[in-house]
Amino acid sequence: MQLTLLALILALLTVIGFMTGRSRAAASVGGRVAELHSVPSYHGVYVALWAGLPALLLFVAWTASEGWLAMQLVLSALPERLTTGDGQSVALLKADILNLARGIATGREPDPLVQDAARRYAALRELADWSLLAVGASLAVAGLAWGRHRIGPDLRARPVVERVVRAALIVCSMVAILTTVGIVLSLLFEALRFFTVVSPVDFLFGTHWSPQMAMRADQVGSSGSFGAIPLFAGTLLITVIAMLVAVPVGLMAAIYMSEYAGRGVRTWLKPALEILAGIPTVVYGYFAALTMAPFVRSVGEVLGLDVSSESALAAGIVMGVMIIPFVSSLSDDVINAVPQGLRDGSYGLGATKSETIKQVVLPAALPGIVAAVMLAVSRAIGETMIVTMASGLTANMTANPLQAVTTVTTQIATLLVGDQEFDSPKTLSAFGLGLVLFLVTLCLNMVALRVVRTYREKYD
């Protein structure tokens, strides 16, 4: 409640700062705006920044450190028998304190000292929230008063505002970059831990996948085998099937929409196709498991074929339907970007519409179409829900689309479901698979961007 109230106060003071700053700037020169260094709106933004920015920075710093400080104060008051021990016991103690402070049952009878610590933690957080509200609101009011005091004809408000906006843009960019770097590093470090246990050669070129590990010395049949070739083969098989569905249909749809369809048809056809991209993948998974897979099996029985109840063909067809909007939308944009002068020149030489499309438009748009297909391949390789629900979990190394196969993403999801020990090769193998998947999609995206860059250099 306190944080919500603080946010409302900051929003209100920011709006008041903008309005009063703008009006005060105009009044300082008697309404002669031309005498101001910056237009009144910049003065309004200047005051609004003074009213909101310091309090916002305080809020971020306070929120980032408040929980840690409160926990340290609580732990310092507990006996050493509770706070000394390995990292797991201390982490469990902190989790119990947090759960009890939030009213969440821990599933066991808690120590009375831990209950007291939880109550003290909740009280400290409550006090900290009220203190943040008071200090933040006071800082916002002081900033508003200071910003209004600075308003005058000689105030260079525009450079200040632009520097703040530039800094905000840099911070936002750095957040995106650092998030990506953090994801890559966390994936890389965990994958390196896995490769210290399992040889990269055995992982990348082994032909048997069975990641179960023995939990006891006398347990048999769970020695662990981490050959990922069956997973790569299953991923490739389903991706090829999906592309055989998505590329022809998506490309033909793009050609029709850009070259043949009228304005009215295009107005409703393109959004209708793009609706497919907005359907949750779990819905596609249900469709593949409950409708497409039985249909494929029944057709196979009619033809005398042995079709598994979970087949690569069913998953690939549904995945191809899901990817159609990626191919059609991107290809449509690329085809529309071909200069009209190329078409007019072809018509002037006597070519028909179909000849112009085949011999002029498509060759000119080919690099962009290839880039769209490469991006669609990356999307297919990274799909999880459809293949998990429709293609099965069996690590078969086969090229038969009628058999059940598994994929890299399916195994990652399976290995990380539930409570797992992150020092086990079984769990760490998910990070090895994730690293391979990341590198493959990164290469595909780089190829697509390279093709687009070549296309722009050639046709801009």
Side-chain angles (χ1 to χ4, degrees):
M1 181 185 69
Q2 297 90 336
L3 299 183
T4 303
L5 185 58
L6 177 60
L8 293 175
I9 293 174
L10 290 182
L12 178 61
L13 291 177
T14 301
V15 173
I16 293 174
F18 176 78
M19 301 299 294
T20 58
R22 187 173 60 176
S23 60
R24 186 179 178 87
S28 65
V29 291
R32 298 184 297 274
V33 178
E35 297 183 8
L36 291 172
H37 175 273
S38 306
V39 296
S41 60
Y42 276 107
H43 290 80
V45 175
Y46 177 85
V47 178
L49 288 174
W50 269 109
L53 189 57
L56 179 61
L57 295 177
L58 173 66
F59 171 78
V60 172
W62 196 298
T63 304
S65 59
E66 175 191 3
W68 180 83
L69 289 174
M71 182 60 70
Q72 293 304 117
L73 291 174
V74 169
L75 293 178
S76 64
L78 290 175
E80 291 188 1
R81 66 179 179 84
L82 294 177
T83 57
T84 56
D86 56 9
Q88 290 185 351
S89 61
V90 176
L92 181 60
L93 174 62
K94 292 180 180 179
D96 287 343
I97 293 175
L98 290 174
N99 289 332
L100 291 173
R102 296 167 183 167
I104 302 175
T106 60
R108 59 184 181 278
E109 185 63 28
D111 190 303
L113 293 176
V114 177
Q115 290 180 323
D116 293 338
R119 285 191 288 269
R120 188 183 180 202
Y121 178 82
L124 287 174
R125 291 298 299 266
E126 183 77 10
L127 177 62
D129 288 342
W130 282 112
S131 301
L132 175 60
L133 175 61
V135 175
S138 301
L139 190 59
V141 172
L144 175 62
W146 173 253
R148 291 185 73 253
H149 174 71
R150 294 272 298 167
I151 296 296
D154 298 328
L155 176 64
R156 303 174 67 87
R158 180 175 58 83
V160 175
V161 171
E162 291 180 348
R163 283 198 298 268
V164 173
V165 172
R166 188 181 301 112
L169 294 176
I170 293 174
V171 170
C172 293
S173 301
M174 292 303 298
V175 167
I177 295 172
L178 293 177
T179 301
T180 304
V181 172
I183 293 173
V184 173
L185 291 180
S186 63
L187 184 63
L188 181 61
F189 290 152
E190 297 297 332
L192 291 177
R193 289 179 59 195
F194 170 69
F195 288 129
T196 59
V197 180
V198 178
S199 170
V201 176
D202 295 338
F203 175 73
L204 294 174
F205 301 103
T207 58
H208 183 248
W209 176 264
S210 179
Q212 300 299 325
M213 297 294 295
M215 300 180 64
R216 303 185 309 273
D218 59 344
Q219 187 176 353
V220 296
S222 299
S223 59
S225 181
F226 298 94
I229 288 294
L231 310 186
F232 301 152
T235 302
L236 180 62
L237 176 61
I238 293 179
T239 301
V240 169
I241 295 172
M243 290 300 102
L244 291 177
V245 174
V247 173
V249 176
L251 184 57
M252 293 302 105
I255 293 174
Y256 173 74
M257 286 189 297
S258 61
E259 300 296 327
Y260 291 102
R263 184 181 298 273
V265 175
R266 177 183 170 84
T267 300
W268 65 264
L269 181 58
K270 187 170 183 178
L273 276 175
E274 292 177 347
I275 286 176
L276 294 175
I279 298 176
T281 56
V282 67
V283 176
Y284 282 110
Y286 278 121
F287 176 73
L290 301 180
T291 303
M292 183 56 66
F295 173 76
V296 170
R297 187 174 183 181
S298 62
V299 172
E301 291 176 352
V302 172
L303 299 177
L305 301 175
D306 183 17
V307 182
S308 174
S309 58
E310 295 176 325
S311 63
L313 182 60
I317 291 174
V318 176
M319 186 185 296
V321 172
M322 182 193 70
I323 296 174
I324 286 174
F326 290 87
V327 179
S328 64
S329 181
L330 294 174
S331 299
D332 177 56
D333 294 338
V334 170
I335 292 174
N336 283 323
V338 174
Q340 183 62 33
L342 295 179
R343 298 178 176 84
D344 295 338
S346 177
Y347 295 146
L349 293 174
T352 63
K353 192 176 188 65
S354 62
E355 291 173 339
T356 300
I357 294 173
K358 289 184 292 184
Q359 300 180 19
V360 176
V361 175
L362 288 183
L366 185 60
I369 294 174
V370 171
V373 173
M374 298 296 288
L375 293 175
V377 170
S378 298
R379 179 69 180 86
I381 291 175
E383 172 54 36
T384 303
M385 288 306 302
I386 294 176
V387 292
T388 299
M389 300 175 68
S391 67
L393 300 175
T394 306
N396 290 328
M397 190 170 63
T398 178
N400 184 0
L402 304 180
Q403 297 298 315
V405 296
T406 190
T407 65
V408 172
T409 54
T410 298
Q411 288 300 313
I412 292 175
T414 303
L415 292 169
L416 296 180
V417 168
D419 296 332
Q420 301 293 339
E421 296 182 0
F422 280 85
D423 57 353
S424 168
K426 174 186 174 182
T427 304
L428 292 176
S429 64
F431 296 95
L433 293 172
L435 181 62
V436 174
L437 183 66
F438 170 78
L439 293 176
V440 170
T441 54
L442 177 64
C443 292
L444 289 174
N445 290 336
M446 291 177 64
V447 170
L449 292 175
R450 178 64 180 174
V451 171
V452 170
R453 190 176 298 113
T454 303
Y455 160 74
R456 288 176 176 172
E457 292 174 355
K458 188 172 182 179
Y459 296 108
D460 275 356

